[in-house]
Amino acid sequence: MTSWALPQPMLTEPVSSPVLPIGWAAEPKWDGYRAGLLVGRGGEVVLRSRRGALMAAAFPEIVRAARQLGEGFALDGELVVWEGGRLAFDRLQRRLASRGARAAQAAAEWPAHYVAFDLLHDGEQDLARWPYARRRAALEELFAGLPAAGPLALCPSTTDPALAREWLSWTAAGLEGLCFKRLDEPYLPGRRAWRKYKVRVTTEAVIGAVTGNTAAPGTVLLGRRDPEGRLRYVGRTSPLNPLLARDVGRRLTPAQGAHPWAGRTFSAGWGSRETLDVRLVEPEVVLEVSADTARDNAGRWRHPVRAHRVRTDLAPADLPPP
């Protein structure tokens, strides 16, 4: 085998339509960690994140399964962990920090799967210049010789628009949307030539705090009351447009007495140690938002949601629990 290294990952460009274009294939977009997988000389396994982090030590079950491919095989795919019939991103994130005996224990408790969607090297030749359709056929041939049940899984792919639409109903299991890939296109490292459609749902939540000026907030922090009546934090919006910020601000009342979030700190983002400077407000205003399907196991949105409008026809008590 000649020397060969994993290329930079090919990237996606967001699109607003879920319609599968002619001449393209669709694949499910999983709620996991993008990762390149390479089996090197002597069975050394490289598992590399999109940003270059080496993750093989945290996933011994993936390393063992990858060695059965043979030297020089390289895949592009997604690391996922299942919990209760749904993809559990927070379990996956916790596993990233484990090493040695802890990693082995974590693999037994929360086993990961590597969902492969591209074959980049087959042990002897670089497949990146091949068109997607040819690479996909080679990937399917490779998986035909692998155990059906195991840590390595083949990502579905289709050119049937009806089947692609059906996959959009898998959001309850953690599907984020669809990836579209042109059938005649080679693998283009670092290029945003694939397309990504993310499922978004419209819902409502209660404003419990804001960042910036209360009269015209930069972002708002949202909650919903659980069955016991406690206001549970569910996520934060992206920056409000000036018109909506002023409309929200004139309806807010700074917290007057005991507030359910008093003394609490809020992270600036998923996995970030930076905390937000927030101002608590009376949880009386309901905001309509749209959010993607990525949530943690507490039901909180992992990504900022888009704020649409104030719902004056709804009271906080009208909303379902998180």
Side-chain angles (χ1 to χ4, degrees):
M1 183 191 74
T2 58
S3 178
W4 193 83
L6 283 169
Q8 291 298 309
M10 191 169 174
L11 304 175
T12 60
E13 183 72 21
V15 294
S16 59
S17 172
V19 177
L20 174 60
I22 297 174
W24 294 64
E27 298 174 357
K29 172 66 180 75
W30 307 101
D31 188 13
Y33 259 68
R34 178 81 177 275
L37 178 64
L38 169 66
V39 184
R41 294 184 183 277
E44 179 185 4
V45 175
V46 176
L47 189 62
R48 192 183 72 190
S49 77
R50 172 182 162 181
R51 292 179 171 83
L54 298 179
M55 305 183 291
F59 297 97
E61 72 276 39
I62 303 298
V63 171
R64 288 192 297 269
R67 288 187 176 127
Q68 67 186 303
L69 299 174
E71 292 184 11
F73 275 85
L75 302 169
D76 192 0
E78 195 96 1
L79 280 167
V80 299
V81 169
W82 290 90
E83 179 183 11
R86 180 182 172 84
L87 294 174
F89 187 87
D90 49 339
R91 299 290 185 191
L92 179 64
Q93 187 183 46
R94 292 176 194 174
R95 286 209 51 190
L96 286 173
S98 62
R99 296 291 186 274
R102 287 183 56 201
Q105 182 180 356
E109 294 178 352
W110 305 107
H113 290 78
Y114 183 82
V115 183
F117 50 68
D118 220 320
L119 179 60
L120 305 179
H121 204 275
D122 69 357
E124 298 180 355
Q125 56 187 335
D126 186 348
L127 277 56
R129 295 185 180 88
W130 291 10
Y132 169 87
R134 188 179 176 191
R135 299 197 313 274
R136 177 69 196 188
L139 180 65
E140 291 178 358
E141 183 178 354
L142 173 65
F143 269 80
L146 298 178
L152 302 185
L154 177 64
C155 181
S157 175
T158 187
T159 56
D160 181 357
L163 181 56
R165 286 195 301 271
E166 182 181 330
W167 287 344
L168 292 175
S169 66
W170 294 2
T171 54
L175 179 78
E176 290 189 323
L178 298 172
C179 285
F180 299 134
K181 303 180 179 182
R182 212 173 75 194
L183 295 173
D184 62 355
E185 189 168 60
Y187 192 91
L188 302 172
R191 291 270 300 277
R192 292 190 178 276
W194 290 338
R195 299 176 182 176
K196 174 178 63 178
Y197 171 77
K198 296 191 78 171
V199 176
R200 300 190 72 87
V201 295
T202 299
T203 186
E204 296 82 23
V206 184
I207 301 175
V210 304
T211 63
N213 188 338
T214 306
T219 67
V220 300
L221 284 70
L222 302 166
R224 281 183 176 167
R225 297 202 178 274
D226 64 17
E228 286 73 43
R230 294 169 294 193
L231 188 67
R232 297 292 190 185
Y233 175 66
V234 294
R236 182 165 67 110
T237 67
S238 55
L240 305 184
N241 68 61
L243 185 63
L244 180 58
R246 289 193 295 271
D247 184 38
V248 168
R250 69 185 180 86
R251 301 174 188 274
L252 297 176
T253 302
Q256 302 298 316
H259 191 284
W261 294 348
R264 173 172 180 166
T265 59
F266 297 90
S267 171
W270 179 262
S272 172
R273 295 185 179 182
E274 181 185 353
T275 59
L276 293 171
D277 180 16
V278 304
R279 289 159 180 77
L280 301 178
V281 298
E282 293 295 323
E284 301 168 338
V285 178
V286 175
L287 191 66
E288 181 183 278
V289 299
S290 65
D292 63 32
T293 59
R295 295 191 176 212
D296 64 15
N297 62 355
R300 296 178 296 242
W301 296 303
R302 289 210 323 273
H303 305 143
V305 300
R306 298 174 188 167
H308 293 315
R309 61 188 176 115
V310 175
R311 290 293 301 268
T312 57
D313 58 325
L314 291 176
D318 297 331
L319 306 185

